[in-house]
Amino acid sequence: MFEIKQLDPETYRRQTRRSTLIIVMIFALLAMLLSSMAVLLFGEAGGDNFRWNMGGVIAGLLLTGALVRLHFWSQPWMAPAVYGWQLKRSLMSVTNVMHHVTAGVEARDPAAMKLLRFYHLGLTQMHQLDANSSALSQMVREINQHRECMEALHMDTDQYRLDPAWLEAVKKAGA
């Protein structure tokens, strides 16, 4: 179950820039090292070693990806980037069933109402973290209308957790 955390956007951007820079540097070093080793071991002096260079870069990319997923992912310095990735994945899981969600909201289905509220809260945070206020300003009216509708139905508007059961309920109701 994913939960939206309160984060300072400036701190989030600074930390994600730092983790991105670290990973880019590791990739660059691995790509250069593996390309050089491939040319040294398999290349021809004065010949065309493009394929060995490209092979080293691809190997560096794969190795960097493996390091990120298997080792760096759980490191504290990667936590903001991991959180951002999880937030976007959670929002995408709602987007994938949005046609069911909107139909459920029109029918006043509680699971769909909660799911859309989570989506609005998550989208708001994503735009704030990414410093994309123009996209967010276009949705304010829709977000406020949905919140007011939930309040009129005496529903809790603090939907900071994505309950997978909501997704399943909305899918079943729409099927």
Side-chain angles (χ1 to χ4, degrees), residues 138-156:
Q138 296 172 4
M139 296 190 63
V140 169
R141 185 171 164 250
E142 177 188 337
I143 291 170
N144 289 339
Q145 283 177 338
H146 184 67
R147 186 191 75 239
E148 290 166 3
C149 181
M150 287 183 74
E151 288 170 348
L153 295 170
H154 304 291
M155 295 180 74
D156 183 15

Side-chain angles (χ1 to χ4, degrees), residues 23 26-35 53-67:
I23 291 170
I26 289 170
F27 164 67
L29 290 171
L30 285 173
M32 286 189 303
L33 177 68
L34 293 173
S35 290
N53 280 316
M54 182 57 74
V57 170
I58 292 170
L61 180 64
L62 294 174
L63 187 55
T64 302
L67 282 171

Side-chain angles (χ1 to χ4, degrees), residues 156-175:
D156 183 15
T157 58
D158 291 337
Q159 301 299 327
Y160 292 101
R161 287 188 175 158
L162 175 60
D163 189 341
W166 299 342
L167 290 167
E168 291 305 315
V170 168
K171 284 180 194 176
K172 286 181 184 176

Side-chain angles (χ1 to χ4, degrees), residues 5-150:
K5 300 175 185 174
Q6 298 304 316
L7 300 175
D8 175 54
E10 283 298 318
T11 303
Y12 170 83
R13 286 191 292 276
R14 185 176 60 252
Q15 291 172 333
T16 54
R17 277 191 301 266
R18 189 185 80 207
S19 62
T20 300
L21 183 61
I22 290 169
I23 291 170
V24 166
M25 288 173 48
I26 289 170
F27 164 67
L29 290 171
L30 285 173
M32 286 189 303
L33 177 68
L34 293 173
S35 290
S36 297
M37 286 178 47
V39 169
L40 183 66
L41 294 173
F42 307 112
E44 300 173 21
D48 181 18
N49 293 310
F50 177 77
R51 66 180 178 188
W52 300 117
N53 280 316
M54 182 57 74
V57 170
I58 292 170
L61 180 64
L62 294 174
L63 187 55
T64 302
L67 282 171
V68 167
R69 284 301 281 158
L70 300 174
H71 182 65
F72 298 151
W73 200 255
S74 59
Q75 301 301 315
W77 57 269
M78 277 290 291
V82 171
Y83 174 81
W85 183 84
Q86 290 172 336
L87 174 63
K88 290 175 183 176
R89 292 270 304 168
S90 296
L91 292 173
M92 187 55 68
S93 68
V94 178
T95 301
N96 290 339
V97 295
M98 190 55 80
H99 57 288
H100 295 303
V101 173
T102 53
V105 167
E106 289 174 12
R108 301 294 188 249
D109 174 42
M113 300 282 287
K114 291 175 184 178
L115 202 50
L116 186 58
R117 181 64 180 159
F118 167 83
Y119 180 77
H120 286 155
L121 293 171
L123 202 57
T124 299
Q125 184 183 50
M126 185 187 74
H127 287 309
Q128 290 170 344
L129 293 176
D130 290 344
N132 187 359
S133 59
S134 62
L136 181 59
S137 65
Q138 296 172 4
M139 296 190 63
V140 169
R141 185 171 164 250
E142 177 188 337
I143 291 170
N144 289 339
Q145 283 177 338
H146 184 67
R147 186 191 75 239
E148 290 166 3
C149 181
M150 287 183 74

